[in-house]
Amino acid sequence: MTMTAQTPELAGPSALDEDDPVEATPGTGRYRSQVREVINRNTVVSLALAQGFNVFLPVYDGGVDFILHRERDGEIRKVQLKSRWTIDRKYLDRDLWIAFPMAGAWYLMPHEAMVALGENEGLTQTTSWRDRGAYSKPRPSRATIAACASYRFQPIEAVAAAAADDVPPA
């Protein structure tokens, strides 16, 4: 997976989505979805490892895709992986962090902070939020990108390059 080093507004997608041509056996949309999720999860795991987190996978997915723990400061983050900026009532008051790609980068943001941002932008007044209890942004505004900036991971290319530099020559 490649991510561009352009500015967030101009960068290409950083996650595979429904329009990406993941090769699979014809007619196996579920396979495509599973491949997409594995690639996205491994990208976020790599980014979290670079920040000193260890990653734990729950045996049962009750709304937490994985748990990040950083031993040096005891930080624990229960993470739900999404393919775009998403808020959902079922995640309220659960101390969840949402990992999502946006404008060519990956973000890890507390769900409650995302809901507050959604309230400020009027998203919690939409039919989607009121009637279905969820709202997602496939194409976030520049204002949303700017509001999420402090939760942005460093580019995956930088993490991969640093990891490659740490590998001793053969």
Side-chain angles (χ1 to χ4, degrees):
M1 180 166 97
T2 58
M3 292 175 49
T4 62
Q6 301 170 357
T7 61
E9 295 81 16
L10 303 175
S14 60
L16 297 177
D17 61 28
E18 288 74 19
D19 298 327
D20 287 330
V22 175
E23 293 301 321
T25 305
T28 56
R30 181 174 178 200
Y31 174 80
R32 284 176 41 132
S33 176
Q34 290 172 343
V35 168
R36 183 173 46 254
E37 184 171 347
V38 168
I39 291 169
N40 290 344
R41 181 182 62 222
N42 288 340
T43 300
V44 174
V45 165
S46 296
L47 293 166
L49 288 169
Q51 288 191 352
F53 284 99
N54 198 349
V55 181
F56 299 89
L57 300 176
V59 173
Y60 168 74
D61 180 356
V64 175
D65 290 324
F66 51 91
I67 299 166
L68 302 177
H69 175 255
R70 191 168 47 212
E71 193 168 326
R72 74 172 180 255
D73 61 6
E75 180 71 24
I76 295 175
R77 296 180 182 170
K78 299 178 291 185
V79 179
Q80 176 64 44
L81 181 64
K82 293 295 180 189
S83 62
R84 61 180 60 150
W85 188 100
T86 301
I87 55 175
D88 197 311
R89 277 198 192 116
K90 68 183 175 185
Y91 301 142
L92 290 173
D93 302 318
R94 294 188 55 202
D95 191 29
L96 288 176
W97 290 67
I98 308 299
F100 59 95
M102 181 172 65
W106 276 94
Y107 295 76
L108 182 62
M109 189 169 179
H111 182 258
E112 303 304 326
M114 295 172 70
V115 171
L117 176 61
E119 287 173 353
N120 290 339
E121 294 181 359
L123 305 179
T124 57
Q125 301 305 312
T126 63
T127 301
S128 177
W129 180 261
R130 281 194 327 261
D131 295 349
R132 293 182 295 281
Y135 190 95
S136 69
K137 291 183 173 197
R139 291 175 186 78
S141 66
R142 289 178 188 224
T144 298
I145 295 167
C148 297
S150 65
Y151 299 101
R152 183 179 179 187
F153 278 114
Q154 70 183 95
I156 188 65
E157 294 89 357
V159 171
D165 289 342
D166 285 345
V167 175

